[in-house]
Amino acid sequence: MVVILLGPPGVGKGTQAVRLADATRGEHISTGDLLRAARREGTELGQKAQGYMDAGELVPDDLILDLVRDHLTGVAAEASILFDGFPRTIAQANRLDAVLSDVGRQVDRVVLLQASNETLLKRLSGRRSCSECGAVFNIYFNDSQGDGICDRCGGPLLHRIDDEPDTVAHRLQVYEEQTAPLVAHYQAHAAGLVRVEAGRGTEEVFVDFRAAVG
Ligand code: AMP
């Protein structure tokens, strides 16, 4: 099964995707996490992506597709895959269909997480991410036990540069312009699209998210 998790920045895609992948032993593929890992490792891709990410712009489609294709070569043919933050443009969606079709697979489900702009802004301003393992906390909803220290690995928690207020506003605008058209795209796609209201607690959202994936 191949699932796509769509939704604006801050809606909780990463949190829900990690939970589902844990519950189903599926492969969670977050292009944002892969790009941040490439930056930490100082790879050529990480260096190319850095300026776009810090400015809240999308990284060019060619770089993203290479990244996804490379990553998929290490995934077992029968593994469930959960894409989080990918695709983000219609071109990426079309190219994903082609990549999957080459290995006899297809997009099976698309879930849209939605929440008010007020909720998104609060989640993004409160988000703190571990600079070592990528674990995500929130000072309002789900704080770490140690002050500024990751509960999972002990690394330092940072506020992402792209979660600063001006960049957040730009990312929401980029979402509306370049990613929101995927909603209509997938409504018309064989996979269809299920909406889940995500402006609630993690547990409540997860129940509906899991049901939507089926
Ligand atoms: P995320 O963690 O999903 O919010 O992604 C953080 C940043 O990585 C985004 O603001 C983009 O700069 C970049 N990024 C992640 N996924 C994609 C994608 N599928 N296409 C283009 N840029 C991406």
Side-chain angles (χ1 to χ4, degrees):
M1 159 113 56
V2 176
V3 178
I4 291 174
L5 185 50
L6 274 184
V11 79
K13 297 186 298 293
T15 304
Q16 295 295 330
V18 166
R19 290 205 57 161
L20 188 74
D22 281 353
T24 59
R25 305 224 175 102
E27 183 76 21
H28 170 206
I29 302 182
S30 156
T31 42
D33 286 351
L34 292 176
L35 289 168
R36 281 184 287 277
R39 287 180 59 171
R40 282 197 295 275
E41 288 156 19
T43 66
E44 196 184 330
L45 167 71
Q47 286 167 20
K48 284 186 184 157
Q50 182 163 345
Y52 298 101
M53 294 174 77
D54 288 347
E57 299 285 349
L58 294 187
V59 173
D61 291 338
D62 284 346
L63 293 181
I64 296 291
L65 261 295
D66 285 349
L67 178 71
V68 169
R69 222 182 275 109
D70 278 0
H71 193 77
L72 280 176
T73 56
V75 174
E78 66 288 354
S80 286
I81 299 175
L82 175 56
F83 286 109
D84 155 12
F86 172 83
R88 254 169 153 111
T89 63
I90 301 274
Q92 289 181 17
N94 288 332
R95 290 171 69 178
L96 173 63
D97 282 341
V99 168
L100 289 174
S101 135
D102 285 348
V103 290
R105 302 187 74 167
Q106 71 206 2
V107 175
D108 298 298
R109 298 263 193 288
V110 182
V111 179
L112 171 68
L113 296 185
Q114 51 189 24
S116 68
N117 259 19
E118 197 189 335
T119 301
L120 301 178
L121 290 172
K122 188 155 190 196
R123 288 193 181 155
L124 290 166
S125 65
R127 179 153 75 179
R128 298 290 180 273
S129 310
C130 176
S131 56
E132 281 172 18
C133 76
V136 178
F137 301 88
N138 192 294
I139 57 171
Y140 301 119
F141 310 111
N142 165 35
D143 209 357
S144 63
Q145 305 295 313
D147 197 17
I149 300 293
C150 176
D151 286 347
R152 201 202 280 170
C153 78
L157 297 182
L158 301 180
H159 192 215
R160 277 166 47 177
I161 293 177
D162 60 344
D163 283 345
E164 296 296 335
D166 286 354
T167 314
V168 162
H170 187 58
R171 286 166 67 205
L172 291 172
Q173 186 191 345
V174 166
Y175 175 81
E176 283 308 322
E177 290 171 4
Q178 301 191 52
T179 307
L182 286 175
V183 174
H185 175 86
Y186 280 117
Q187 272 168 338
H189 188 278
L193 175 132
V194 181
R195 293 167 190 267
V196 171
E197 177 50 50
R200 301 174 288 158
T202 307
E203 298 301 323
E204 284 169 276
V205 176
F206 185 62
V207 170
D208 289 353
F209 174 40
R210 196 157 185 185
V213 170

